[in-house]
């Protein structure tokens, strides 16, 4: 046990160093929102997953821009003067809230944007234990859509019927997604519906679809893993016959690989949660959730 702890202490250090180094990107990535007209509403989202909902509801009447680049983490993001400049002229700033993108509040204060233009989506939502990853449950994602719809209608009432129609269509996609995920998860034997994740991004998804999260390697990206906790998690993984540990491409995979080696389980390093991906199969929220589900089913079956 002591040997494992020492090994993890070293890996933990390496992992934190790697995580910090990987998150310096702060360029602004325009969203794939079609071809908005000259009178389109300028919307700025903090991270790319939220951008999917804005594009879904706003369609061609919205010009959306995303602050955290695709493939980077909102949890370790450091705003730069360039990312702050993006806020100038924003008619709506969409923030997830519950801490994950709190840095945008400082940016808003530094830019010429009234606070009344900021939509904090998780305000009033059923947040559990301060965990901000509510969008990972496609049923809760409908609340994201509803709040964005209300904000866009308020800013541009002339296009209210188009926004409402887009929102209805997006809700239908979310319903279909939820039903599809349920069917896919049902194919995993109940005893195998358990996972270990890199960071604690999956509780809302897990609760919705009856999956047990055995634990996470770090509480949040950028935080140092606890060697004793990791050693306990290795023991638990073996005892419960957990099939795999899952991590995301925007974070260092070193710790996940080391953990998988110690626990003798599979490692999957391309689940998407805090960011969509560059590839077409993970280029928006719906496709990202489908891809995640396929990965989970493949590794857990
Ligand atoms: Zn996260």
């Amino acid at each position: 046990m002591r040997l494992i702890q020492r090994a993890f202490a070293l890996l933990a250090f390496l992992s934190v160093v790697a995580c910090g180094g990987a998150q310096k990107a702060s360029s602004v990535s325009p969203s794939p929102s079609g071809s908005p007209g000259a009178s389109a509403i300028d919307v700025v989202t903090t991270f790319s997953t939220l951008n999917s909902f804005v594009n879904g509801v706003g369609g061609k009447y919205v010009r959306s821009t995303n602050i955290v680049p695709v493939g980077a983490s909102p949890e370790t993001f450091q705003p730069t003067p360039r990312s702050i400049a993006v806020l100038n002229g924003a008619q709506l700033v969409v923030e997830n809230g519950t801490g994950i993108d709190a840095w945008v509040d400082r940016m808003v204060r530094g830019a010429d944007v009234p606070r009344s233009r900021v939509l904090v989506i998780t305000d009033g939502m059923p947040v559990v234990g301060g965990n901000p990853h509510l969008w990972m449950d496609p049923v809760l994602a409908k609340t994201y859509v509803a709040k964005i719809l209300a904000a866009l209608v308020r800013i541009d009432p002339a296009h209210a019927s188009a926004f409402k129609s887009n929102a209805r269509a997006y809700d239908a996609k979310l319903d279909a997604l939820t039903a599809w995920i349920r069917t896919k998860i049902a194919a995993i034997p109940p005893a195998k519906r358990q996972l270990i994740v890199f960071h604690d991004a999956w509780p809302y998804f897990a609760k919705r679809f009856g999956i047990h999260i055995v634990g996470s390697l770090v509480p949040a990206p950028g935080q140092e893993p606890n060697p004793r906790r990791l050693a306990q998690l290795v023991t638990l993984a073996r005892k419960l016959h957990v099939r795999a540990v899952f991590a995301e491409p925007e974070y260092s995979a070193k710790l996940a690989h080391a953990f998988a080696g110690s626990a003798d389980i599979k490692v999957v390093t391309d689940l998407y949660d805090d960011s969509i991906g560059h590839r077409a199969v993970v280029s928006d929220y719906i496709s990202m959730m489908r891809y995640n589900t396929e990965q989970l089913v493949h590794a857990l079956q």
Side-chain angles (χ1 to χ4, degrees):
M1 185 63 81
R2 249 184 232 152
L3 263 179
I4 290 177
Q5 286 188 2
R6 269 207 292 273
F8 272 130
L10 177 62
L11 281 161
F13 172 72
L14 289 173
S15 161
V16 168
V17 168
C19 267
Q23 297 305 325
K24 283 184 182 152
S26 57
S27 62
V28 172
S29 50
S31 71
S33 57
S35 48
S39 63
I41 305 171
D42 278 310
V43 182
V44 174
T45 53
T46 48
F47 53 95
S48 53
T49 326
L50 305 180
N51 209 252
S52 299
F53 303 131
V54 170
N55 291 333
V57 180
K60 63 182 177 181
Y61 299 114
V62 156
R63 191 180 304 105
S64 67
T65 310
N66 187 46
I67 299 174
V68 179
V70 169
S73 165
E75 306 212 29
T76 52
F77 181 69
Q78 308 269 338
T80 64
R82 193 178 165 201
S83 50
I84 291 168
V86 159
L87 284 177
N88 292 324
Q91 291 168 276
L92 177 65
V93 177
V94 179
E95 171 184 351
N96 183 78
T98 317
I100 192 168
D101 43 11
W103 38 261
V104 81
D105 297 332
R106 292 193 303 276
M107 291 170 66
V108 163
R109 282 196 293 273
D112 186 22
V113 178
R115 185 70 212 174
S116 60
R117 292 190 188 172
V118 180
L119 169 63
V120 184
I121 296 208
T122 56
D123 277 359
M125 286 187 72
V127 173
V128 178
N131 193 305
H133 304 85
L134 286 84
W135 70 88
M136 294 302 291
D137 172 358
V139 175
L140 292 179
K142 290 171 82 171
T143 305
Y144 282 59
V145 169
K147 291 193 173 195
I148 289 165
L149 169 64
L152 293 181
V153 167
R154 202 166 49 244
I155 296 166
D156 182 9
H159 291 116
S161 64
F163 296 142
K164 284 176 188 167
S165 159
N166 289 347
R168 267 197 303 275
Y170 203 88
D171 276 352
K173 284 186 192 172
L174 290 173
D175 286 340
L177 174 69
T178 305
W180 180 84
I181 296 175
R182 270 192 215 293
T183 309
K184 298 297 281 186
I185 300 296
I188 305 170
K192 294 180 181 174
R193 289 177 204 162
Q194 48 183 1
L195 48 141
I196 292 173
V197 290
F198 174 74
H199 87 291
D200 196 14
W202 293 78
Y204 300 100
F205 179 93
K207 185 168 181 239
R208 178 65 60 196
F209 298 107
I211 294 172
H212 176 220
I213 305 287
V214 176
S216 53
L217 304 188
V218 293
Q223 288 186 17
E224 198 170 337
N226 179 322
R228 185 191 289 177
R229 192 161 158 270
L230 286 177
Q232 287 167 346
L233 207 50
V234 167
T235 307
L236 208 51
R238 289 171 181 260
K239 186 177 157 207
L240 297 175
H241 305 289
V242 175
R243 308 273 294 177
V245 54
F246 297 87
E248 305 90 337
E250 67 264 31
Y251 303 118
S252 166
K254 278 189 196 135
L255 188 60
H257 278 291
F259 182 87
S262 296
D264 197 20
I265 62 177
K266 284 184 272 189
V267 59
V268 176
T269 55
D270 61 341
L271 277 200
Y272 293 80
D273 42 45
D274 292 347
S275 172
I276 59 170
H278 290 288
R279 292 180 295 149
V281 287
V282 287
S283 59
D284 62 38
Y285 174 80
I286 304 258
S287 60
M288 162 189 122
M289 295 302 282
R290 284 182 174 266
Y291 183 83
N292 283 340
T293 304
E294 297 278 18
Q295 295 294 96
L296 289 174
V297 171
H298 182 72
L300 297 183
Q301 260 180 336

